[in-house]
Every structure is written in structure tokens, then in C-alpha cells.
Amino acid sequence: NAKKQLVLSHGFHLDKFERKELTSTFRIKLGLPINRKIILSVGALNVSSKRMDYLIREFSILDRSKFYLIIIGQKDAESEKVYKLASQLLGEEDYLIKTIPYSEIEQYYFAADIFCLTSLIEGFGKVFVEALIAKLPVIADDNEVAREVLNEFGFFANLSKDGELSTTILKLLGNKTLEKNSNAAYDFVKLKYNWINLKPKYVEMFKSLLRNL
């Protein structure tokens, strides 16, 4: 019965991703390039669902004297393919692929300039919201879930097509409204995904369930 259904957003603790230092400070701490634009992706190190192979191929088109790629994620049975392709197409000074504890992830968001997720299907896409909290422009495939999560604050492209991601990245560099967009996106996240705002709604939902037992 649709009348008995209630949809609540996934909740986030925004203070975890509160930027307390400059981007350059995080880059120095992490040993990352200071004078290149850093493209960040966070997700399982595979080719079937997260499509990290597509990301690497698209990144290889860019001028690597101006860009640096970071991929953070957990290893699985396909990870060796990701590492192998990166070593074939990129110089070791052009990228970082790493598995880290989740408690350290915010440093990489704060060190980056652009976030992208190249999967074509997501159940939700928690990393989309984390990137918005960190005030990064977010590139995503143009699909229903990504648009629902990111609203008007994502930069959408058909990421099933070759050349789409690299083209979108270059377009972002010429976008003079990124700071304004990122601030508006943060306000959107505070309203929709902030756990402080959502907690009373979750409490009321559970109370309602108990009343109807």
C-alpha cells in the first residue's frame, strides 16, 4: 500500500567532511602534486560495476602535466586488471590507486579538485553526497539514480560513450560558476541528507511502526 510507505534519505554526519585546512595542506600531507588538477574517484577497484578501466582510459587522454588521478577503493577479484591497465596507459607519477581505512577518506576529498564516479548503475551512491559535502564538482553518468541523489548539482554525461568523461572534465575547467554551485550543493545536502535533520524523522518512523504492530 503506497499510503503506508515512507521514503527517508540516507543520513550523513556533515562534520566529518568539514574542511579545516587548505587543499594544498592536504596535498603536502599526502605527498600529492601541488600544481596539477586532481581527479578523484572512490569505489571498488573493479571493471564490471565501477568501471575503473573506463576512468583510466579517459584520464589517459588528458594532458597529464596538468592532471593527476586518484582512485581509492577496496580490492576484489578484478583489481589486478585495474592496476595493470593503469601501469600500461599512465606513468607512475600520474596516478595513485590505493586502499585505505574509511576514517582517512576525507583527506583525499579535500585534496581533490573534481570527483567522478563512472559506474552506470548505483543503488544510491554514497560517495556522491560525500563529494558534495566536501564541495567538489561531481561528474556522474546521466541516469535516474544519480539525478535523484545529486539533484541539479551534478555534472551529468553519457559515461557509456568513449570521450565523454575527458570532455566533461575539460569543460569543468572553464566553468566560472563552480564555487557558487558547490556552495549551493552544500546547502542542498544540509537540507536533505544531514543526519541531524533526519534523526527525528527516523525516530517517528520507528514509533509509527511500533504503534501499528
mmCIF file of all heavy atoms in Angstrom, residues 60-80:
data_model
loop_
_atom_site.group_PDB
_atom_site.id
_atom_site.type_symbol
_atom_site.label_atom_id
_atom_site.label_comp_id
_atom_site.label_asym_id
_atom_site.label_seq_id
_atom_site.Cartn_x
_atom_site.Cartn_y
_atom_site.Cartn_z
ATOM 1 N N SER A 60 43.702 8.958 -19.452
ATOM 2 C CA SER A 60 44.915 8.882 -20.279
ATOM 3 C C SER A 60 44.856 9.829 -21.471
ATOM 4 O O SER A 60 45.900 10.161 -22.050
ATOM 5 C CB SER A 60 45.131 7.444 -20.769
ATOM 6 O OG SER A 60 44.174 7.077 -21.754
ATOM 7 N N ILE A 61 43.658 10.282 -21.838
ATOM 8 C CA ILE A 61 43.505 11.231 -22.944
ATOM 9 C C ILE A 61 43.957 12.631 -22.539
ATOM 10 O O ILE A 61 44.423 13.416 -23.367
ATOM 11 C CB ILE A 61 42.024 11.276 -23.400
ATOM 12 C CG1 ILE A 61 41.580 9.908 -23.902
ATOM 13 C CG2 ILE A 61 41.806 12.339 -24.480
ATOM 14 C CD1 ILE A 61 40.090 9.813 -24.172
ATOM 15 N N LEU A 62 43.857 12.931 -21.259
ATOM 16 C CA LEU A 62 44.151 14.273 -20.763
ATOM 17 C C LEU A 62 45.657 14.543 -20.736
ATOM 18 O O LEU A 62 46.473 13.626 -20.738
ATOM 19 C CB LEU A 62 43.582 14.439 -19.349
ATOM 20 C CG LEU A 62 42.073 14.261 -19.201
ATOM 21 C CD1 LEU A 62 41.695 14.273 -17.718
ATOM 22 C CD2 LEU A 62 41.311 15.332 -19.959
ATOM 23 N N ASP A 63 45.993 15.821 -20.696
ATOM 24 C CA ASP A 63 47.383 16.253 -20.556
ATOM 25 C C ASP A 63 47.818 15.999 -19.121
ATOM 26 O O ASP A 63 47.408 16.706 -18.200
ATOM 27 C CB ASP A 63 47.480 17.742 -20.896
ATOM 28 C CG ASP A 63 48.901 18.283 -20.792
ATOM 29 O OD1 ASP A 63 49.788 17.555 -20.299
ATOM 30 O OD2 ASP A 63 49.117 19.436 -21.202
ATOM 31 N N ARG A 64 48.643 14.959 -18.910
ATOM 32 C CA ARG A 64 48.983 14.579 -17.550
ATOM 33 C C ARG A 64 49.953 15.544 -16.863
ATOM 34 O O ARG A 64 50.207 15.422 -15.661
ATOM 35 C CB ARG A 64 49.549 13.163 -17.522
ATOM 36 C CG ARG A 64 48.442 12.147 -17.223
ATOM 37 C CD ARG A 64 48.115 11.264 -18.360
ATOM 38 N NE ARG A 64 49.254 10.409 -18.689
ATOM 39 C CZ ARG A 64 49.362 9.782 -19.854
ATOM 40 N NH1 ARG A 64 48.443 9.934 -20.787
ATOM 41 N NH2 ARG A 64 50.387 8.997 -20.102
ATOM 42 N N SER A 65 50.477 16.519 -17.596
ATOM 43 C CA SER A 65 51.248 17.559 -16.922
ATOM 44 C C SER A 65 50.315 18.497 -16.157
ATOM 45 O O SER A 65 50.755 19.247 -15.282
ATOM 46 C CB SER A 65 52.068 18.361 -17.934
ATOM 47 O OG SER A 65 51.224 19.129 -18.785
ATOM 48 N N LYS A 66 49.015 18.414 -16.469
ATOM 49 C CA LYS A 66 48.028 19.277 -15.825
ATOM 50 C C LYS A 66 47.078 18.526 -14.892
ATOM 51 O O LYS A 66 46.358 19.158 -14.115
ATOM 52 C CB LYS A 66 47.200 20.008 -16.894
ATOM 53 C CG LYS A 66 48.021 20.912 -17.791
ATOM 54 C CD LYS A 66 47.145 21.566 -18.846
ATOM 55 C CE LYS A 66 47.965 22.468 -19.761
ATOM 56 N NZ LYS A 66 47.128 23.086 -20.831
ATOM 57 N N PHE A 67 47.073 17.190 -14.970
ATOM 58 C CA PHE A 67 46.104 16.411 -14.202
ATOM 59 C C PHE A 67 46.788 15.250 -13.466
ATOM 60 O O PHE A 67 47.827 14.749 -13.895
ATOM 61 C CB PHE A 67 45.024 15.831 -15.126
ATOM 62 C CG PHE A 67 44.144 16.862 -15.757
ATOM 63 C CD1 PHE A 67 44.436 17.356 -17.019
ATOM 64 C CD2 PHE A 67 43.024 17.343 -15.095
ATOM 65 C CE1 PHE A 67 43.620 18.307 -17.613
ATOM 66 C CE2 PHE A 67 42.213 18.290 -15.678
ATOM 67 C CZ PHE A 67 42.513 18.774 -16.941
ATOM 68 N N TYR A 68 46.148 14.846 -12.374
ATOM 69 C CA TYR A 68 46.612 13.695 -11.589
ATOM 70 C C TYR A 68 45.375 12.908 -11.174
ATOM 71 O O TYR A 68 44.336 13.487 -10.823
ATOM 72 C CB TYR A 68 47.378 14.184 -10.354
ATOM 73 C CG TYR A 68 48.036 13.102 -9.533
ATOM 74 C CD1 TYR A 68 49.289 12.602 -9.887
ATOM 75 C CD2 TYR A 68 47.416 12.587 -8.397
ATOM 76 C CE1 TYR A 68 49.906 11.610 -9.125
ATOM 77 C CE2 TYR A 68 48.025 11.605 -7.633
ATOM 78 C CZ TYR A 68 49.273 11.121 -8.011
ATOM 79 O OH TYR A 68 49.879 10.148 -7.252
ATOM 80 N N LEU A 69 45.466 11.588 -11.208
ATOM 81 C CA LEU A 69 44.325 10.731 -10.920
ATOM 82 C C LEU A 69 44.520 9.984 -9.598
ATOM 83 O O LEU A 69 45.575 9.391 -9.364
ATOM 84 C CB LEU A 69 44.138 9.710 -12.047
ATOM 85 C CG LEU A 69 43.046 8.651 -11.848
ATOM 86 C CD1 LEU A 69 41.663 9.300 -11.793
ATOM 87 C CD2 LEU A 69 43.115 7.609 -12.961
ATOM 88 N N ILE A 70 43.478 10.007 -8.761
ATOM 89 C CA ILE A 70 43.471 9.214 -7.534
ATOM 90 C C ILE A 70 42.244 8.306 -7.552
ATOM 91 O O ILE A 70 41.122 8.767 -7.754
ATOM 92 C CB ILE A 70 43.413 10.089 -6.266
ATOM 93 C CG1 ILE A 70 44.622 11.019 -6.182
ATOM 94 C CG2 ILE A 70 43.351 9.205 -5.012
ATOM 95 C CD1 ILE A 70 44.583 11.962 -4.991
ATOM 96 N N ILE A 71 42.479 7.013 -7.340
ATOM 97 C CA ILE A 71 41.394 6.048 -7.197
ATOM 98 C C ILE A 71 41.538 5.391 -5.832
ATOM 99 O O ILE A 71 42.562 4.772 -5.540
ATOM 100 C CB ILE A 71 41.437 4.973 -8.301
ATOM 101 C CG1 ILE A 71 41.363 5.616 -9.695
ATOM 102 C CG2 ILE A 71 40.294 3.978 -8.108
ATOM 103 C CD1 ILE A 71 41.525 4.609 -10.834
ATOM 104 N N ILE A 72 40.514 5.541 -5.004
ATOM 105 C CA ILE A 72 40.509 4.961 -3.670
ATOM 106 C C ILE A 72 39.407 3.903 -3.614
ATOM 107 O O ILE A 72 38.257 4.174 -3.974
ATOM 108 C CB ILE A 72 40.231 6.022 -2.587
ATOM 109 C CG1 ILE A 72 41.277 7.143 -2.629
ATOM 110 C CG2 ILE A 72 40.172 5.380 -1.206
ATOM 111 C CD1 ILE A 72 42.670 6.722 -2.253
ATOM 112 N N GLY A 73 39.746 2.687 -3.169
ATOM 113 C CA GLY A 73 38.705 1.675 -3.079
ATOM 114 C C GLY A 73 39.215 0.335 -2.579
ATOM 115 O O GLY A 73 40.426 0.111 -2.455
ATOM 116 N N GLN A 74 38.277 -0.547 -2.317
ATOM 117 C CA GLN A 74 38.600 -1.890 -1.850
ATOM 118 C C GLN A 74 38.937 -2.800 -3.027
ATOM 119 O O GLN A 74 38.356 -2.683 -4.107
ATOM 120 C CB GLN A 74 37.421 -2.480 -1.079
ATOM 121 C CG GLN A 74 37.082 -1.715 0.191
ATOM 122 C CD GLN A 74 38.219 -1.718 1.194
ATOM 123 O OE1 GLN A 74 38.828 -2.756 1.448
ATOM 124 N NE2 GLN A 74 38.513 -0.563 1.768
ATOM 125 N N LYS A 75 39.872 -3.710 -2.805
ATOM 126 C CA LYS A 75 40.275 -4.657 -3.851
ATOM 127 C C LYS A 75 39.253 -5.789 -3.959
ATOM 128 O O LYS A 75 38.596 -6.148 -2.989
ATOM 129 C CB LYS A 75 41.651 -5.241 -3.537
ATOM 130 C CG LYS A 75 42.777 -4.232 -3.538
ATOM 131 C CD LYS A 75 44.097 -4.904 -3.191
ATOM 132 C CE LYS A 75 45.233 -3.902 -3.132
ATOM 133 N NZ LYS A 75 46.520 -4.529 -2.767
ATOM 134 N N ASP A 76 39.135 -6.310 -5.174
ATOM 135 C CA ASP A 76 38.349 -7.522 -5.376
ATOM 136 C C ASP A 76 39.011 -8.367 -6.461
ATOM 137 O O ASP A 76 40.166 -8.120 -6.826
ATOM 138 C CB ASP A 76 36.879 -7.205 -5.690
ATOM 139 C CG ASP A 76 36.665 -6.497 -7.016
ATOM 140 O OD1 ASP A 76 37.595 -6.478 -7.863
ATOM 141 O OD2 ASP A 76 35.569 -5.964 -7.238
ATOM 142 N N ALA A 77 38.295 -9.342 -6.990
ATOM 143 C CA ALA A 77 38.881 -10.280 -7.950
ATOM 144 C C ALA A 77 39.308 -9.603 -9.251
ATOM 145 O O ALA A 77 40.136 -10.141 -9.988
ATOM 146 C CB ALA A 77 37.884 -11.400 -8.254
ATOM 147 N N GLU A 78 38.763 -8.433 -9.545
ATOM 148 C CA GLU A 78 39.087 -7.736 -10.794
ATOM 149 C C GLU A 78 40.154 -6.658 -10.631
ATOM 150 O O GLU A 78 40.534 -6.020 -11.609
ATOM 151 C CB GLU A 78 37.824 -7.093 -11.368
ATOM 152 C CG GLU A 78 36.739 -8.082 -11.746
ATOM 153 C CD GLU A 78 35.506 -7.394 -12.288
ATOM 154 O OE1 GLU A 78 35.335 -6.184 -12.045
ATOM 155 O OE2 GLU A 78 34.718 -8.076 -12.958
ATOM 156 N N SER A 79 40.621 -6.444 -9.443
ATOM 157 C CA SER A 79 41.517 -5.319 -9.183
ATOM 158 C C SER A 79 42.815 -5.378 -9.968
ATOM 159 O O SER A 79 43.373 -4.346 -10.381
ATOM 160 C CB SER A 79 41.819 -5.219 -7.687
ATOM 161 O OG SER A 79 40.647 -4.958 -6.963
ATOM 162 N N GLU A 80 43.314 -6.577 -10.203
ATOM 163 C CA GLU A 80 44.568 -6.712 -10.938
ATOM 164 C C GLU A 80 44.440 -6.104 -12.339
ATOM 165 O O GLU A 80 45.404 -5.534 -12.863
ATOM 166 C CB GLU A 80 44.974 -8.179 -11.031
ATOM 167 C CG GLU A 80 46.380 -8.400 -11.581
ATOM 168 C CD GLU A 80 47.458 -7.652 -10.808
ATOM 169 O OE1 GLU A 80 47.364 -7.582 -9.568
ATOM 170 O OE2 GLU A 80 48.396 -7.125 -11.453
#
